Amino acid sequence: ILRGLSCSSLQWLAMANLAGTTLEPFLNSFQECGFRRDVERFVESRAPLFAAACADGSHPLAWTEAHNAYRALFDAQLDVALEYCGDRALERGEFLEYCAGLAAEARGAASGEAELSGTGGARAADFDYFLEALTASEDYGHFLQIMFRAASGAANVGSVAQDEQEIEVEVPMGV
């Protein structure tokens, strides 16, 4: 099931030439400032959970729970996109059916340059990018990379603060 679009995929997806197609409104909904801010807050608030890895290589249950919450965040945004994109609200099943049909058409296309029917100009190769970006939040490995980067960034900020020390220096009068 499609779960959402990773913010890190947005820049990559911008190269996919989907502007002006029927797929563009779905992508735009994941670029909205409010949603991006929600994702940033989510990552920042949960980054401390990922500051230390388990010595045996296992993953704490809290990581899986965080990933499920991350997926739910993107799911909710997809629901918003389905409700407000286009001329009418789409049901999730209808959208999945639409995407499955486009995926089948893209797989059967003679080349990546072939235009997919009913999309307003989306090419077969671009649809692959669309699906990859739209489902990126499902990828646990990708999620871990995002969280480890955030945890590392938070740790670096914290280590700078720990290395700093405040001192008082008295300057003699007349100097």
Side-chain angles (χ1 to χ4, degrees):
I1 195 163
L2 301 176
R3 294 283 183 179
L5 185 66
S6 166
C7 285
S8 62
S9 300
L10 294 175
Q11 292 174 341
W12 178 61
L13 191 58
M15 298 181 285
N17 300 322
L18 293 171
T21 69
T22 58
L23 304 175
E24 183 182 25
F26 297 102
L27 300 176
N28 287 343
S29 72
F30 290 97
Q31 294 179 8
E32 291 175 354
C33 291
F35 176 70
R36 292 178 63 116
R37 203 172 16 253
D38 289 347
V39 171
E40 288 169 8
R41 283 189 202 126
F42 176 94
V43 170
E44 287 172 9
S45 70
R46 288 173 176 79
L49 294 172
F50 297 83
C54 295
D56 65 359
S58 65
H59 295 183
L61 180 58
W63 291 6
T64 301
E65 291 169 345
H67 182 235
N68 288 338
Y70 182 78
R71 291 170 44 207
L73 183 66
F74 282 89
D75 253 354
Q77 188 64 22
L78 178 59
D79 289 339
V80 169
L82 293 173
E83 186 173 344
Y84 295 108
C85 288
D87 298 337
R88 62 180 181 82
L90 287 174
E91 294 296 321
R92 184 178 288 264
E94 186 179 7
F95 180 69
L96 293 175
E97 208 174 286
Y98 173 68
C99 287
L102 291 177
E105 186 178 344
R107 278 191 306 274
S111 78
E113 297 298 314
E115 186 177 314
L116 300 177
S117 58
T119 62
R123 299 175 319 140
D126 295 334
F127 184 73
D128 290 340
Y129 297 139
F130 171 79
L131 275 184
E132 187 171 322
L134 198 65
T135 60
S137 69
E138 285 292 300
D139 185 338
Y140 183 67
H142 179 73
F143 170 74
L144 288 178
Q145 289 175 356
I146 291 169
M147 297 311 294
F148 288 148
R149 255 193 319 268
S152 172
N156 289 339
V157 169
S159 67
V160 169
Q162 290 173 358
D163 291 343
E164 293 177 0
Q165 185 176 12
E166 190 173 314
I167 60 170
E168 279 187 43
V169 177
E170 282 190 40
V171 179
M173 291 276 219
V175 176

